Amino acid sequence: SATPRVDLAIATMLALFIGATAFAGSRAGLSRTHVSRVAGPAMSADEPWNSDIIAKSTLGVAELEKAVGKASSTGQDFLEAQPYWDVSNIPLNTYKNKAPFTGKVVSCKRIVGPDATGETCHIIISHGGKMPYWEGQSYGVIPPGTNPKNGKPHTVRLYSIASSRYGDDMTGNTGSLCVRRAVYVDPETGKEDDSKKGVCSNYLCDATPGLEVTMTGPSGKVMLMPEQDPKTDLIMVATGTGIAPYRGFIRRLFVEKTPAAAAYKGQAWLFLGVANSDSLLYDDEWQAALKSYPQNFRLDYALSREQTNKNGGKMYIQDKVEEYSDEIFSKLENGAHMYFCGLKGMMPGITDMLERVASSKGMNWAEKLEQFKKNGQWHVEVY
């Protein structure tokens, strides 16, 4: 119905506003079904947290409610194709390296707790409706300055967009990025080496409202949603900031009043792997979707420092997915689309697991995988 989506939209926006200050309290609402309550070990020296940078949102609660209320009352249908699932004319490479777009930062906020393994920020950038995109696409960011190794301008870095095409305020004027600050700690001294830190991630995580950002894109077709058949199941696997495209998916299906949301009858199943509870990303949003749409949304976490796998080792994302190997394989056989975004290290374990399931059923995995790819069911964007 329309009412849960409006309430969920407002809850989502308020969660983004409240952010880190309410993080400890939000843990109390975490489902015991999905997250181990065992405390994880202390953060190691090679995973520092830069506590000096905690950016603040510029939008007040009243402004957020006003923006969401206005957008929700009219529905999100003004950026749709005709029919809504037609991908033949999606925005693609509207802005290129030689002729980029200048966006403006609306807000930058830390979205992980104090015991997270590193700092991750949610950055909202205004494009004024001039740089539209679809869920699953990426923006390119060109950081200012030159590469000290060759004296040339820095090259573009790609980031999966972490919002639906309507943006967090649902007006179609912004796009959001989920960025982890990349730092390097000298193993001998235990201190950060600024000369080796990630240029673009630090630039974005240090961003303040009003900062102009040089951008390219949107790019990518690999991670688009299959919307023609609204009964299609989605299996979304992420590590860390690889959660970004799925946030856009879930907002489109369960938060906004889109044609896709009205039609959807399948199940969207999210797997997220991070180190510990404080490293979880957008958990409040997932819990809200789970509460409002328990039949259509499913959630599983792999917390490597708080959970153990069936062999007593750390619970990595591939271990959590393996717990449901037969069910996942069956879903793929029935037309489900499976997505992978994040660290490429998760892929071998997952494909090995699916190969074992195929073999147990007397099937050739290589042939099945080729079939899934040919059918457009297999989507991979890892690094």
Side-chain angles (χ1 to χ4, degrees):
S1 64
T3 302
R5 282 199 171 86
V6 175
D7 294 342
L8 185 52
I10 294 174
T12 298
M13 292 297 293
L14 292 179
L16 279 172
F17 170 74
I18 294 167
T21 59
F23 192 91
S26 73
R27 293 275 70 76
L30 210 56
S31 168
R32 291 177 183 267
T33 303
H34 305 289
V35 182
S36 165
R37 309 301 297 178
V38 180
M43 179 174 59
S44 65
D46 64 347
E47 292 172 317
W49 168 49
N50 186 340
S51 59
D52 296 330
I53 305 296
I54 301 181
K56 299 179 180 179
S57 171
T58 61
L59 298 179
V61 174
E63 292 173 276
L64 290 175
E65 289 183 324
K66 182 179 179 181
V68 174
K70 181 178 180 181
S72 298
S73 64
T74 58
Q76 288 69 56
D77 58 4
F78 52 91
L79 294 176
E80 302 295 324
Q82 298 297 329
Y84 74 88
W85 43 260
D86 183 6
V87 298
S88 58
N89 290 302
I90 65 169
L92 196 64
N93 299 318
T94 310
Y95 295 92
K96 301 178 174 62
N97 292 20
K98 294 183 178 180
F101 178 80
T102 301
K104 186 172 289 188
V105 172
V106 175
S107 65
C108 173
K109 182 169 61 62
R110 177 187 170 96
I111 56 171
V112 290
D115 293 327
T117 54
E119 181 179 22
T120 300
C121 295
H122 182 81
I123 301 142
I124 302 176
I125 302 174
S126 173
H127 58 73
K130 298 176 181 178
M131 201 176 184
Y133 57 88
W134 278 28
E135 298 77 16
Q137 290 191 298
S138 298
Y139 271 158
V141 175
I142 304 175
T146 57
N147 186 332
K149 294 181 179 179
N150 57 24
K152 296 181 179 180
H154 286 300
T155 55
V156 65
R157 273 73 161 177
L158 293 179
Y159 293 92
S160 296
I161 300 171
S163 52
S164 79
R165 69 191 70 180
Y166 294 99
D168 286 356
D169 64 358
M170 301 188 196
T171 65
N173 291 314
T174 67
S176 300
L177 302 180
C178 179
V179 181
R180 173 169 170 153
R181 184 189 296 275
V183 296
Y184 175 80
V185 176
D186 188 302
E188 294 184 0
T189 65
K191 296 181 179 180
E192 291 184 18
D193 184 345
D194 285 345
S195 68
K196 297 181 180 179
K197 68 181 182 181
V199 172
C200 199
S201 66
N202 280 269
Y203 166 66
L204 290 171
C205 288
D206 288 341
T208 53
L211 176 72
E212 293 188 340
V213 180
T214 303
M215 305 170 67
T216 65
S219 61
K221 292 183 176 181
V222 173
M223 300 291 284
L224 297 177
M225 294 171 64
E227 296 184 333
Q228 187 166 0
D229 181 357
K231 298 186 296 294
T232 301
D233 288 339
L234 308 178
I235 304 167
M236 305 164 285
V237 184
T239 57
T241 56
I243 195 70
Y246 310 140
R247 182 173 183 264
F249 291 8
I250 292 164
R251 286 178 65 80
R252 179 164 174 80
L253 294 177
F254 304 121
V255 177
E256 301 167 348
K257 293 193 293 183
T258 62
Y264 192 62
K265 298 295 186 292
Q267 183 185 75
W269 190 356
L270 176 63
F271 290 88
L272 172 61
V274 293
N276 56 27
S277 296
D278 267 18
S279 300
L280 286 170
L281 301 171
Y282 309 111
D283 175 68
D284 290 342
E285 297 184 30
W286 313 147
Q287 298 300 333
L290 195 63
K291 182 178 180 180
S292 297
Y293 299 95
Q295 301 303 315
N296 301 102
F297 181 59
R298 192 168 170 181
L299 175 68
D300 276 283
Y301 289 142
L303 306 180
S304 61
R305 298 190 178 190
E306 297 180 11
Q307 299 171 325
T308 56
N309 61 28
K310 64 181 182 181
N311 297 317
K314 291 184 176 181
M315 175 70 79
Y316 291 111
I317 190 69
Q318 56 268 31
D319 301 314
K320 178 58 66 174
V321 173
E322 185 174 9
E323 292 182 1
Y324 304 95
S325 57
D326 286 326
E327 187 176 0
I328 288 171
F329 195 90
S330 177
K331 282 180 175 288
L332 285 168
E333 284 272 85
N334 289 314
H337 282 233
M338 193 163 188
Y339 295 79
F340 304 90
C341 190
L343 299 175
K344 62 182 178 182
M346 66 175 163
M347 294 305 297
I350 291 174
T351 53
D352 288 349
M353 171 267 292
L354 290 172
E355 182 174 9
R356 290 195 296 272
V357 176
S359 297
S360 70
K361 298 177 180 295
M363 300 177 182
N364 182 295
W365 168 244
E367 292 178 358
K368 291 302 299 182
L369 179 58
E370 189 59 35
Q371 177 188 328
F372 295 150
K373 289 180 178 179
K374 185 177 180 180
N375 294 342
Q377 297 173 247
W378 194 258
H379 310 259
V380 180
E381 193 169 84
V382 295
Y383 43 84

